[in-house]
Amino acid sequence: MSRKKVLLAGESWVSTATHIKGFDQFPTVTYHQGADELLAALKDSPFDITFMPAHQAQRDFPQTLEALGEYDAVILSDIGANTLLLHPDTWIHSKPTPNRLKLLRDYVEGGGALLMFGGYYSFQGINGGARYARTPVEDVLPVTCLRFDDRVEVPEGFVPVVTGDASHPILDGLGTQWPLLLGYNEVELKPGAEVLATVSDDYGAQPLLVTGTYGKGRSLVWTSDVGPHWLPGEFIRWDGYARLFGAMLAWATAK
């Protein structure tokens, strides 16, 4: 049986630092990937995942509906709307290019699957910089984005609350005792969305794992992270980690 094809875009960044040692100083630049743990967990799953780091996605994320259609599901994780809107041909050379947020909406409407995982540049993001509110991507999601910085930092940690039916394909076999999370993006539910898990009552039982449909396709959001820092090592080492995210993809791509 052939593996289903998934495109994961985002989850990378470059950091710069200046090291000052008395009179002297020097800069360093480091590259980081936030999806390594997830990719390792799903390595032997039924999904063939193409990882497209954020800097690559700006140029290479599909620009046609046909190219998107090669994938059974697309995941946006910690990648802001500007990266998909501002192809280098537009940003640098002032040439018109396809609106890839509209393409994603059309892709799901025609039967594709879109998942968004949380992070500093997911949903509306840090300082409102992810900017998915009032976009075609928000049209597809089972939630709406706030119009301002939507991060909720929970340094003491919270235990997710499973609210969906335990027999749901995503929840089946996971139990109700999940490890701590350290933060999430605040969103608001759309009518008809199905909430499978929330954050703790201390934080208003806000949405954590939500599914929905759009046209002929499916959409899903996980409002916390896929790796550090919101998702600690304890969660990654949990035997339900791979099972949870694999089940999300299985549900999203079920026909």
Side-chain angles (χ1 to χ4, degrees):
M1 183 177 180
S2 62
R3 302 170 78 193
K4 293 182 177 179
K5 296 182 65 176
V6 177
L7 175 61
L8 167 58
E11 287 298 339
S12 74
W13 65 97
V14 175
S15 299
T16 61
T18 300
H19 303 255
I20 300 174
K21 298 187 176 184
F23 183 86
D24 299 302
Q25 62 177 310
F26 64 92
T28 59
V29 178
T30 52
Y31 171 73
H32 310 268
Q33 292 186 173
D36 289 347
E37 293 85 357
L38 180 64
L39 292 171
L42 298 179
K43 182 179 180 180
D44 297 321
S45 74
F47 302 98
D48 179 12
I49 301 179
T50 299
F51 175 48
M52 189 176 287
H55 63 278
Q56 182 183 346
Q58 184 179 14
R59 182 193 65 192
D60 295 337
F61 192 90
Q63 295 190 72
T64 67
L65 195 57
E66 291 73 21
L68 275 175
E70 295 180 6
Y71 298 97
D72 296 286
V74 175
I75 302 171
L76 301 180
S77 187
D78 212 352
I79 179 172
N82 281 328
T83 300
L84 300 181
L85 289 169
L86 295 172
H87 187 282
D89 284 347
T90 297
W91 173 238
I92 299 173
H93 303 294
S94 298
K95 296 179 180 179
T97 52
N99 186 321
R100 291 179 285 193
L101 304 188
K102 289 183 178 179
L103 286 176
L104 281 168
R105 181 179 61 192
D106 295 344
Y107 162 75
V108 178
E109 188 172 26
L114 178 66
L115 300 85
M116 182 174 283
F117 298 153
Y120 272 31
Y121 275 91
S122 298
F123 302 100
Q124 199 67 353
I126 187 170
N127 301 321
R131 297 178 61 84
Y132 283 104
R134 297 181 181 175
T135 69
V137 164
E138 186 188 53
D139 292 345
V140 170
L141 300 178
V143 298
T144 55
C145 303
L146 304 183
R147 303 300 189 259
F148 45 83
D149 192 323
D150 61 4
R151 295 167 305 125
V152 181
E153 303 289 350
V154 188
E156 74 277 23
F158 70 87
V159 176
V161 178
V162 177
T163 57
D165 189 325
S167 64
H168 189 283
I170 296 178
L171 301 176
D172 187 28
L174 289 172
T176 58
Q177 300 300 311
W178 296 9
L180 288 173
L181 296 170
L182 299 177
Y184 61 96
N185 298 89
E186 183 179 352
V187 295
E188 296 179 348
L189 290 173
K190 288 182 179 177
E194 183 176 11
V195 182
L196 301 182
T198 70
V199 305
S200 65
D201 290 342
D202 290 344
Y203 286 84
Q206 293 176 356
L208 176 64
L209 176 56
V210 185
T211 64
T213 59
Y214 185 84
K216 298 178 181 178
R218 292 184 169 189
S219 62
L220 178 150
V221 300
W222 166 259
T223 62
S224 193
D225 218 328
V226 300
H229 80 278
W230 281 348
L231 195 144
E234 179 186 7
F235 204 107
I236 295 167
R237 292 187 294 271
W238 174 45
D239 59 8
Y241 175 61
R243 190 169 187 169
L244 173 62
F245 284 96
M248 292 182 195
L249 284 170
W251 177 88
T253 59
K255 300 297 184 182

